[in-house]
Amino acid sequence: MLNLVSVLFLVAASACPSPAVGPSPGSSAEESHLPRLNWSTLLPLWLQPRRLGLRTKGPNFMLEDSTVQIFGGSIHYFRVPKEYWRDRLLKMKACGLNTLTTYVPWNLHEPERGKFDFSGNLDLEAFIQLAAKIGLWVILRPGPYICSEIDLGGLPSWLLQDPNMKLRTTYHGFTKAVDLYFDHLMSRVVPLQYKHGGPIIAVQVENEYGSYGKDHAYMPYIKKALEDRGIIEMLLTSDNKDGLQKGVVNGVLATINLQSQQELKALSSVLLSIQGIQPKMVMEYWTGWFDSWGGPHNILDSSEVLQTVSAIIKAGSSINLYMFHGGTNFGFINGAMHFNDYKADVTSYDYDAVLTEAGDYTAKYTKLRDLFGTFSGIPPPPPPELTLKMTYEPMRPSFYISLWDVLLYLDDPIESEIPINMENLPVNNGNGQAFGYVLYETTIFSSGILSGHVCDRGQVFLNRIFIGFLDYKTTKITIPLTQGYTTLRILVENRGRVNYGNNIDAQRKGLIGNLYLDNIPLKKFRIYSLDMTKRFFDRLDMDKWNFVPKEPTYPAFFLGALSVGIYPSDTFLKLEGWTKGVVFVNDHNLGRYWNIGPQKTLYLPGVWLDKGLNKVIIFEETMAGSVVQSTETPYLGRNQYVN
């Protein structure tokens, strides 16, 4: 029987290069014939010698000399408060999963060309290292395009400053930017690979390129870009069954994305026809779906999820649950779809996933935990306790300032003969504006028909009077009779750049091209960048605010204080009576609300609250309610444990 000293020796030895086969110097021939210890029975897999990494052997995945089946789940670090990463990952481990997958959002990590941010909630390395400590392998999906229902599919908006830009191609302007980004990103990723002692066992080459990609040289370029920068682990692609044929790359394992049991035929037949006998993997099994403003809340029954996941595993396939935990599109990062109609994604990325937006368990979690425990033969660890939820006293805003008065305290407007789209505004060190609103002003002298290309939602005002909208569907509006000089104002919102589809190159926001009055182009614009960042609000000292009047002028900002007790806890803000806008709590942008639904509450993490009074600012576009309430239960069409 091994004693404690022997076990400690083996643990220490496993962190070093594996010893040569045969007797060591000074050992006797008799000793060399003693039975060799099977280290895999003594040590966790991540402590064993690392020579081969994840590889394929016929229909199986192998990690070193062991056959492995990947039971994965997706969590996006940028959609979850950093303080909750550990909780969510422990819940993943307790569900019986062995692998974490995550995207890497280029647009958030390089908000300005050459200026990188991997701090706080964007600390990718800390997230991956935490997964390793919890005992999870990692499949990294670094893009550069990730889709992910995030603005422009994760590509930086400053790429669109180039009028000839061709995203996701070998166009020089795009590959030059990708190369610089990968130079920085991969310097962080390479040390975290399995063969270097880290948890990353595989890296995905781009994302779903087969569905829309037209440049045959692009995927080989991305593959080489990864390998040239030190990526030595297994490479994968990820496509739905219709895109598989066009998404394959030589030397890269193809995986499939699907949801229904009807699609399971493609799991074997299509993958087999493309790459022969190789391990099968569903890189994205969609546990639910995302929601769009004005649409229904999408729900996928837990029994159907259980049946499909069970069938996938029984077919000998590895699987990744997309999403295991969706989280939240905090700020303005949500994407959009635009096929027949433009549809912006809601703030919540609950996704009807295995864990709710706030990390609570669902019926899917309970059923899948039993399933994965059965297939792995290893009882998963006990699930962590849920984070506490709280209903706070209603908050009544006390102070107010109209948008028109805010303009007095901003930087001088940009003067331009013609409109400038959001991405080409001379702000943010020449990188344009990525998110938020832009206000265009000019002077008119007569009534007429106003027309133009507004991307994607513009509120039209004469002086301070709202007269209507311009958007993708409404491209003309009648300007009523005016007297003398009149200020025409158009407040344009970027509700989210398209993250999936053919027209991704045409996602410039604001006023695109000329604005016409009776077919005559208007001139001499004053343009305000309203990105609503912390710097934006820092200009609004308390002496700039007034008490809320009986009849506020809109759009406007409202200021109030949320009172929190000794133990700040998660809650959901409920904005009944409010119409459309954005909520900021203690400088955190919680995201957009809109009374058209389906989302009726905004998730407020308790870790972003302080004991005592908490500053709440609401930007309301149309009509404010009297109070902001909170609730322990979100309104998204489902409740905890019910699905």
Side-chain angles (χ1 to χ4, degrees):
M1 178 177 292
L2 291 171
N3 59 28
L4 178 60
V5 175
S6 301
V7 173
L8 290 175
F9 171 77
L10 288 174
V11 172
S14 69
C16 304
S18 62
V21 177
S24 60
S27 65
S28 66
E30 183 179 358
E31 289 173 324
S32 69
H33 291 290
L34 291 175
R36 295 178 62 86
L37 293 172
N38 182 358
W39 288 11
S40 65
T41 64
L42 300 173
L43 302 172
L45 197 56
W46 53 86
L47 288 178
Q48 295 179 35
R50 300 181 174 209
R51 304 182 303 273
L52 303 175
L54 187 68
R55 57 195 175 95
T56 66
K57 186 176 182 181
N60 299 318
F61 282 117
M62 305 290 294
L63 193 56
E64 298 305 325
D65 296 321
S66 300
T67 301
V68 296
Q69 194 167 11
I70 296 170
F71 296 156
S74 291
I75 300 176
H76 301 151
Y77 56 100
F78 50 94
R79 284 184 162 121
V80 182
K82 185 175 183 180
E83 297 87 345
Y84 289 156
W85 287 353
R86 181 176 179 83
D87 173 78
R88 308 310 194 247
L89 292 174
L90 285 171
K91 288 171 179 172
M92 173 178 281
K93 184 73 173 176
C95 193
L97 302 183
N98 57 28
T99 303
L100 163 73
T101 73
T102 188
Y103 282 129
V104 182
W106 180 8
N107 56 346
L108 304 185
H109 284 300
E110 193 178 0
E112 298 179 12
R113 192 184 295 265
K115 182 179 179 181
F116 299 96
D117 184 2
F118 284 81
S119 63
N121 235 64
L122 295 175
D123 194 341
L124 171 64
E125 293 152 289
F127 185 63
I128 293 174
Q129 289 164 348
L130 180 58
K133 291 178 182 177
I134 289 172
L136 295 165
W137 300 116
V138 174
I139 295 177
L140 194 68
R141 310 176 77 185
Y145 163 87
I146 62 173
C147 184
S148 186
E149 288 72 59
I150 191 174
D151 188 275
L152 202 60
L155 301 174
S157 61
W158 46 257
L159 289 167
L160 297 174
Q161 292 182 326
D162 180 350
N164 301 312
M165 177 56 65
K166 297 178 178 62
L167 301 172
R168 304 181 74 193
T169 71
T170 51
Y171 172 68
H172 175 70
F174 184 68
T175 58
K176 180 180 178 182
V178 171
D179 287 341
L180 291 174
Y181 169 57
F182 271 13
D183 284 345
H184 186 94
L185 175 62
M186 297 310 154
S187 68
R188 297 173 177 271
V189 168
V190 165
L192 299 172
Q193 294 180 102
Y194 172 86
K195 292 171 188 170
H196 294 318
I200 298 176
I201 57 173
V203 176
Q204 186 172 299
V205 180
E206 236 265 357
N207 189 56
E208 297 176 317
Y209 194 71
S211 295
Y212 293 98
K214 300 177 181 178
D215 186 342
H216 297 300
Y218 177 67
M219 288 292 278
Y221 153 72
I222 295 294
K223 175 177 181 280
K224 187 174 187 298
L226 293 169
E227 293 174 335
D228 287 351
R229 288 164 179 80
I231 297 301
I232 55 177
E233 305 300 339
M234 176 179 286
L235 297 178
L236 310 166
T237 59
S238 172
D239 289 285
N240 61 32
K241 63 181 180 64
D242 296 326
L244 269 173
Q245 295 284 355
K246 295 181 180 179
V248 295
V249 184
N250 288 334
V252 178
L253 184 72
T255 68
I256 193 170
N257 305 335
L258 53 82
Q259 183 176 74
S260 68
Q261 293 200 54
Q262 289 74 20
E263 295 173 288
L264 287 181
K265 295 178 181 178
L267 178 61
S268 297
S269 60
V270 179
L271 284 175
L272 181 64
S273 66
I274 287 174
Q275 59 189 11
I277 299 176
Q278 292 283 343
K280 294 176 291 187
M281 180 163 183
V282 179
M283 178 57 74
E284 292 185 12
Y285 167 69
W286 300 314
T287 60
W289 202 246
F290 58 91
D291 295 340
S292 300
W293 288 115
H297 173 56
N298 292 296
I299 294 176
L300 185 62
D301 184 75
S302 60
S303 296
E304 181 179 343
V305 170
L306 181 69
Q307 292 172 4
T308 306
V309 172
S310 179
I312 291 170
I313 296 174
K314 286 179 180 178
S317 173
S318 288
I319 188 171
N320 175 58
L321 305 175
Y322 189 99
M323 297 292 295
F324 177 78
H325 170 53
T328 309
N329 291 314
F330 292 118
F332 298 116
I333 70 170
N334 64 275
M337 303 289 281
H338 195 172
F339 292 101
N340 296 324
D341 297 314
Y342 173 87
K343 296 179 180 179
D345 300 333
V346 302
T347 298
S348 172
Y349 201 60
D350 175 273
Y351 207 85
D352 197 42
V354 183
L355 293 180
T356 69
E357 180 179 13
D360 293 336
Y361 300 118
T362 66
K364 291 177 184 177
Y365 185 95
T366 305
K367 293 176 180 179
L368 289 174
R369 184 172 185 268
D370 292 339
L371 179 70
F372 287 121
T374 299
F375 276 110
S376 67
I378 303 172
E385 293 184 5
L386 295 176
T387 53
L388 185 65
K389 309 296 185 298
M390 185 73 69
T391 297
Y392 298 104
E393 289 296 318
M395 185 216 74
R396 184 179 299 274
S398 302
F399 301 97
Y400 146 96
I401 183 171
S402 76
L403 173 63
W404 317 123
D405 291 332
V406 167
L407 301 181
L408 301 173
Y409 309 114
L410 302 181
D411 294 336
D412 291 336
I414 299 158
E415 306 278 352
S416 176
E417 190 70 10
I418 60 174
I420 305 173
N421 60 286
M422 181 181 285
E423 295 77 10
N424 286 96
L425 291 176
V427 296
N428 299 319
N429 300 314
N431 289 276
Q433 183 178 334
F435 305 115
Y437 298 74
V438 177
L439 178 67
Y440 298 86
E441 289 185 352
T442 189
T443 303
I444 60 174
F445 309 97
S446 65
S447 59
I449 302 299
L450 184 71
S451 62
H453 186 189
V454 177
C455 296
D456 45 73
R457 184 176 188 265
Q459 300 176 66
V460 183
F461 300 84
L462 290 183
N463 296 324
R464 297 188 175 196
I465 306 300
F466 170 73
I467 63 169
F469 291 101
L470 289 172
D471 55 26
Y472 288 111
K473 287 187 174 181
T474 304
T475 59
K476 295 181 179 180
I477 188 173
T478 299
I479 301 295
L481 184 65
T482 59
Q483 295 182 347
Y485 293 85
T486 301
T487 300
L488 173 70
R489 290 166 160 153
I490 304 182
L491 178 64
V492 184
E493 177 192 9
N494 167 17
R495 284 188 287 160
R497 296 181 182 85
V498 166
N499 55 265
Y500 187 79
N502 283 316
N503 60 348
I504 194 170
D505 291 335
Q507 289 306 299
R508 295 168 183 87
K509 297 294 185 178
L511 290 182
I512 312 300
N514 282 314
L515 187 69
Y516 298 91
L517 185 60
D518 285 342
N519 296 318
I520 299 174
L522 297 173
K523 303 292 184 182
K524 296 186 177 181
F525 285 83
R526 297 174 299 279
I527 307 173
Y528 294 87
S529 172
L530 308 175
D531 54 8
M532 299 192 190
T533 60
K534 184 178 183 301
R535 179 175 175 269
F536 176 93
F537 288 110
D538 284 345
R539 297 179 173 94
L540 303 182
D541 300 328
M542 275 310 302
D543 61 352
K544 310 290 195 309
W545 297 80
N546 300 304
F547 290 111
V548 178
K550 289 185 178 180
E551 296 184 2
T553 299
Y554 296 97
F557 296 88
F558 295 82
L559 173 64
L562 179 67
S563 180
V564 173
I566 298 175
Y567 302 107
S569 303
D570 288 4
T571 193
F572 295 86
L573 298 186
K574 186 166 55 173
L575 290 107
E576 292 182 351
W578 300 75
T579 306
K580 183 181 185 300
V582 192
V583 177
F584 306 82
V585 177
N586 295 339
D587 297 325
H588 292 281
N589 186 335
L590 301 190
R592 312 169 210 258
Y593 64 89
W594 199 352
N595 63 0
I596 64 173
Q599 180 175 353
K600 298 292 187 180
T601 54
L602 283 175
Y603 175 50
L604 173 53
V607 292
W608 289 354
L609 292 171
D610 300 320
K611 182 178 70 174
L613 297 180
N614 294 262
K615 181 177 69 175
V616 179
I617 294 177
I618 305 167
F619 175 64
E620 169 58 52
E621 297 180 16
T622 307
M623 182 63 67
S626 58
V627 298
V628 175
Q629 298 172 305
S630 64
T631 175
E632 298 174 32
T633 305
Y635 184 88
L636 270 171
R638 77 169 185 186
N639 295 320
Q640 179 184 332
Y641 291 112
V642 178
N643 185 16

